[in-house]
């Protein structure tokens, strides 16, 4: 893969560095019971590969992430990038997985929102801070499969 630019947010970049250096041993579990993965998207304007660490859940073989941006009024840049190009790469522990993203809607979104708020209850408070519906994103591993 071409060179990747990590999150400009210092603590996220540090988390990502530790995750990469340890094959996920340091960083996969961000808080007790709160797993994280590394998501790489392609910049919708720049074409640059961009990576960030995100909380995730599992739905069978799929990975689920939330574009909360802490409840701000705008979607995070990574979400805008994958909305423009849904072909992404994720790293879970030391496994690097190509995947295709889609935004969950309707009953699928409601079911997955409930799953994700069990992992990170703060998602509910984030939703109260914004008028936008916070997207729930499903990452489906490509033919190579997932761990």
């Amino acid at each position: 893969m071409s060179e990747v630019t990590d999150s400009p947010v210092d603590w996220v970049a540090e988390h990502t560095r530790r995750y990469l250096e340890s094959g996920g041993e340091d960083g996969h579990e961000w808080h007790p019971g709160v797993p994280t993965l590394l998501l790489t998207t392609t910049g919708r304007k720049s074409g640059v590969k961009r990576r960030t660490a995100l909380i995730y859940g599992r739905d069978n073989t799929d990975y689920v992430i939330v574009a909360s941006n802490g409840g701000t009024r705008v979607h995070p840049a990574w979400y805008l990038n994958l909305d423009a190009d849904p072909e992404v790469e994720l790293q879970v522990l030391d496994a690097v997985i190509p995947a295709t993203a889609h935004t969950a809607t309707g009953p699928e979104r409601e079911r997955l929102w409930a799953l994700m708020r069990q992992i990170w209850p703060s998602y509910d408070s984030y939703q109260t801070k914004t008028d936008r519906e916070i997207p729930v994103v499903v990452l489906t591993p490509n033919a190579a499969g997932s761990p």
Side-chain angles (χ1 to χ4, degrees), residues 96-117:
V96 176
I97 306 162
T100 304
H102 79 268
T103 301
T105 59
E108 179 188 39
R109 183 196 181 278
E110 295 309 311
R111 179 176 61 79
L112 296 176
W113 180 263
L115 168 79
M116 294 306 293
R117 63 190 277 250

Side-chain angles (χ1 to χ4, degrees), residues 10-11 21 48 68 71 74 105 123:
D10 288 342
W11 72 267
E21 288 177 355
V48 171
S68 68
V74 297
T105 59
Y123 287 137

